[in-house]
Structure formats: structure tokens, C-alpha cells
């Protein structure tokens, strides 16, 4: 199958591209950044801006994909610094991808939504169908993107589906999200021996290890349409406090100094998100089941980050 991945230069794409290739797909990328060193051979890398409609249309026309994984977005913390641009990239970008999919007869658009669609005051575990009142521009654009995709599905018959990801953790590049403290505890903790988290130790939001997140994308994208009762699904894996994540790092990285200094802006974003998600619709409709809890993830990720630090850490200015 021919698959186009937008924004593949970010946190998810780094791990998604090799997985798609290993499954025998023909993969093309549309990203603002130039082709990075880690990009596997065999991937066609097209440079372009997701917020420029003509460039998006040209890319989709030329790649002629069967399926698009639409990852390009500005995340929550980064987005609050540039809300106008975030609207343009996240929402206009999604509109261009959906319209290009309609024009050039792409079979499916897979959308990466987020826990940031939720706002404060929801009783955990928070299900799929609750009032959505996000407090960040990122969240606002993701709610609107979900609705726009559903519009394209009902009016034009596009196969639109996606997941609301928890904060994602992988041995890779943090993406400007408010959930990045978890990843930095591992990466900075191992590389620098210390990290000061920008939240309180009690902060609790849903997280997921990247291999589970990738598997969710593949499994939902391949699920028979008749089995699905909705377009967008909550998915969950674990909901550790920041303290519990720090303890998991300390157990595996002796001597690491992890401290907390809450940043009011980022803390307010974290506090507005649900502590725990209800993902029973995903479990029932397409058999979603996470594999990694905090302990299993920590055991798996520590050697991978060590390897990454050894391979990249000595390169000048490298920041894994
Ligand atoms: N990880 C994202 C963020 O923090 C949430 O989807 O913005």
C-alpha cells in the first residue's frame, strides 16, 4: 500500500517510518524539515509546508497515496507561544489534507488526536463522548480537526479515523508537548544525570510508550470499517504521577537527580487534562490492548536511550 505521512520528522514519524517499511508499504513523507539522517532508505521525502494549500495538494497528487497518516502539528506547549500559527498549521493544514484526500481519491486519512481535546473538571475515567472544552490552542484545533474529518466522512464518504493519544514516550525527539517532562526525565536524567521537571510530583496524566502507540495506529487503520462505531477513539495504557515516573527512572539509573519546579503555565495545561481515560470503545470495537505499563516501558526504554546517547551524544550540539 502507498502511504503518505505528514510531519514525519517529528516524535512519532521517527519510529513510524521504519515500522511501515517493515510491513512492506511504499512510504512517502511530507514535512517542513529537510530529510534527516535517520530517515530510512526507500522513503520518498518531500519538503513542504502543511499550511500552504497548493503545496499540500501537489504533494498528495504526486504521491497518490492510498492512505495518509496526518501527523503534522504544533503541540500544546509550543502552540501557546504562537497560537495564530498553531491554528493555521493544525487546522488549515488538516483541512488541506482532507480536501486533497477528497480531490485525489485517497481511501483513508488517519488522524492523530490527543488528550488535549479535553478541558478541566471531567470526572476520571474520561470517556470518548464528553463535552470538549480545551484550554490550549492545540486542543482547540484538535477538536475542530476531529469534527472536520467527521464532516468529510459523512458528506464525501472519506474513510476518516484516528486516536486520541496520551502523552507519548519514546527513545527519541521530544515534540514541544506539555507531556515532555516524562521523556526528559529519562533522556536528560541519563545524559546529564539530572533533570528538573516543570510540574508537581503529584501531576498525573495518561501516557503511552511509542511501540504501543504505533501498534494502535496500524491496528485501527487496518480494522474493518464495519467493526467501528465511531471515527475517533480514546486509547490508554498507564496514568503514572510524575513522582512515579521519577521513581521508575531512579530504580534504573542509579544516582540520577530528578527534581520538581512547577511552571504555572504548563502546570495549568497538565491540570486541565484528565488523569485517566476510558478507552473501552477502542477495546471493544477493534481489540485495542496496551502492552507496556510503566515498569515494562522503563525496562525497555533505558537501554535504547543509552544507545542513542552513545551514538549521538558525542556529536556536537546533539540533543536526543
Ligand atoms: N503530548 C501532547 C502535548 O503535550 C499531548 O497530545 O502537547
Amino acid at each position: 500500500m502507498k502511504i503518505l505521512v505528514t510531519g514525519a520528522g517529528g516524535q512519532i514519524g521517527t519510529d513510524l517510518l521504519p515500522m511501515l517499511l517493515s510491513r512492506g508499504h511504499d512510504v512517502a513523507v511530507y514535512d517542513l524539515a529537510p530529510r534527516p539522517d535517520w530517515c530510512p532508505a526507500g522513503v520518498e521525502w518531500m519538503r513542504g509546508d502543511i499550511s500552504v494549500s497548493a503545496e499540500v495538494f501537489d504533494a498528495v497528487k504526486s504521491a497518490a497515496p492510498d492512505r495518509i497518516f496526518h501527523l503534522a502539528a504544533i503541540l500544546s506547549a509550543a502552540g501557546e507561544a504562537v497560537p495564530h500559527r498553531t491554528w493555521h498549521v493544525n487546522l488549515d493544514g488538516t483541512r488541506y489534507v482532507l480536501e486533497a484526500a477528497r480531490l485525489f481519491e485517497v481511501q483513508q486519512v488517519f488522524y492523530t488526536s490527543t488528550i488535549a481535546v479535553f478541558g478541566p473538571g471531567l470526572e476520571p475515567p474520561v470517556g470518548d463522548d464528553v463535552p470538549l472544552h480545551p484550554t490550549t490552542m492545540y486542543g482547540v484545533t484538535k477538536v475542530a480537526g476531529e469534527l472536520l474529518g467527521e464532516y468529510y466522512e459523512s458528506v464525501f464518504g472519506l474513510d476518516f479515523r484516528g486516536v486520541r493519544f496520551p502523552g507519548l514516550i519514546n527513545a527519541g525527539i521530544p515534540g514541544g508537548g506539555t507531556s515532555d517532562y516524562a521523556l526528559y526525565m529519562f533522556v536528560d536524567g541519563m545524559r546529564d544525570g539530572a533533570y528538573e521537571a516543570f510540574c508537581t510530583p503529584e501531576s498525573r496524566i495518561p501516557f503511552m510508550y511509542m511501540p504501543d502507540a504505533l501498534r494502535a495506529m496500524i491496528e485501527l487503520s487496518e480494522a474493518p470499517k464495519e467493526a467501528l462505531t465511531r471515527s475517533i477513539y480514546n486509547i490508554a495504557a498507564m496514568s503514572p504521577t510524575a513522582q512515579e515516573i521519577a521513581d521508575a527512572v531512579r530504580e534504573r539509573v542509579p544516582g540520577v537527580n530528578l527534581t520538581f519546579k512547577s511552571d504555572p503555565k504548563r502546570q495549568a495545561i497538565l491540570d486541565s487534562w484528565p488523569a485517566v481515560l476510558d478507552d473501552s470503545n477502542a477495546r471493544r470495537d477493534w481489540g485495542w490492548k496496551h502492552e507496556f505499563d510503566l515498569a515494562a516501558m522503563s525496562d525497555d526504554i533505558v537501554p535504547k536511550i543509552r544507545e542513542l546517547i552513545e551514538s549521538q551524544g558525542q556529536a556536537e550540539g546533539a540533543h536526543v
Side-chain angles (χ1 to χ4, degrees):
M1 176 179 289
K2 179 79 188 264
I3 296 182
L4 177 67
V5 184
T6 72
Q11 188 189 11
I12 299 174
T14 319
D15 290 341
L16 181 63
L17 295 188
M19 189 176 193
L20 292 177
L21 290 175
S22 75
R23 296 174 70 85
H25 296 301
D26 184 4
V27 182
V29 161
Y30 183 71
D31 198 287
L32 197 54
R35 184 189 187 95
D37 294 342
W38 56 260
C39 181
V43 171
E44 182 195 358
W45 190 280
M46 293 178 284
R47 273 191 89 177
D49 188 334
I50 201 76
S51 66
V52 177
S53 60
E55 290 184 14
V56 176
F57 292 172
D58 284 350
V60 174
K61 187 176 180 189
S62 123
D66 304 296
R67 180 174 297 165
I68 299 176
F69 284 104
H70 178 38
L71 311 181
I74 299 177
L75 294 188
S76 60
E80 289 311 281
V82 286
H84 180 77
R85 173 84 186 135
T86 300
W87 175 276
H88 199 35
V89 168
N90 293 8
L91 195 53
D92 289 332
T94 297
R95 184 160 59 91
Y96 302 152
V97 166
L98 291 167
E99 181 61 6
R102 181 183 77 81
L103 287 171
F104 303 112
E105 297 177 350
V106 178
Q107 287 160 21
Q108 183 190 106
V109 172
F110 192 96
Y111 189 58
T112 45
S113 193
T114 163
I115 48 168
V117 296
F118 301 109
L122 297 168
E123 196 56 41
V126 172
D128 289 303
D129 290 313
V130 297
L132 300 177
H133 296 288
T135 60
T136 61
M137 181 57 96
Y138 173 63
V140 169
T141 62
K142 287 292 182 176
V143 172
E146 288 184 3
L147 295 174
L148 194 59
E150 288 174 2
Y151 173 86
Y152 268 77
E153 177 144 48
S154 65
V155 175
F156 301 119
L158 177 72
D159 179 348
F160 174 77
R161 45 180 94 176
V163 289
R164 292 181 180 145
F165 276 135
L168 296 179
I169 302 179
N170 68 327
I173 312 157
T178 313
S179 58
D180 286 354
Y181 62 89
L183 181 51
Y184 279 123
M185 281 190 199
F186 284 97
V187 173
D188 284 20
M190 292 177 67
R191 189 191 46 207
D192 306 333
Y195 174 67
E196 183 175 78
F198 50 77
C199 59
T200 62
E202 298 77 29
S203 304
R204 182 196 293 279
I205 62 164
F207 279 102
M208 184 173 286
Y209 190 33
M210 191 62 84
D212 272 341
L214 299 180
R215 196 166 46 76
M217 293 175 76
I218 301 288
E219 288 177 3
L220 176 56
S221 67
E222 292 178 355
K225 192 70 178 164
E226 349 34 285
L228 306 183
T229 56
R230 52 190 307 112
S231 303
I232 299 291
Y233 287 88
N234 286 357
I235 52 168
M238 58 180 118
S239 278
T241 62
Q243 180 69 58
E244 286 165 346
I245 301 170
D247 291 343
V249 178
R250 280 193 196 106
E251 269 174 43
R252 292 160 181 85
V253 185
V256 66
N257 182 24
L258 299 174
T259 52
F260 297 89
K261 187 175 176 203
S262 172
D263 168 73
K265 279 193 183 149
R266 284 185 285 188
Q267 186 70 51
I269 296 176
L270 287 174
D271 292 345
S272 76
W273 292 346
V276 183
L277 292 183
D278 173 354
D279 63 356
S280 48
N281 287 326
R283 288 174 191 263
R284 186 200 59 227
D285 286 3
W286 47 279
W288 164 244
K289 195 168 183 305
H290 72 279
E291 191 182 324
F292 291 91
D293 60 12
L294 180 61
M297 177 191 74
S298 305
D299 287 342
D300 194 74
I301 202 172
V302 164
K304 293 200 167 101
I305 292 178
R306 190 164 290 130
E307 208 176 293
L308 196 64
I309 290 171
E310 278 162 14
S311 69
Q312 294 191 347
Q314 306 319 319
E316 266 188 345
H319 189 101
V320 293

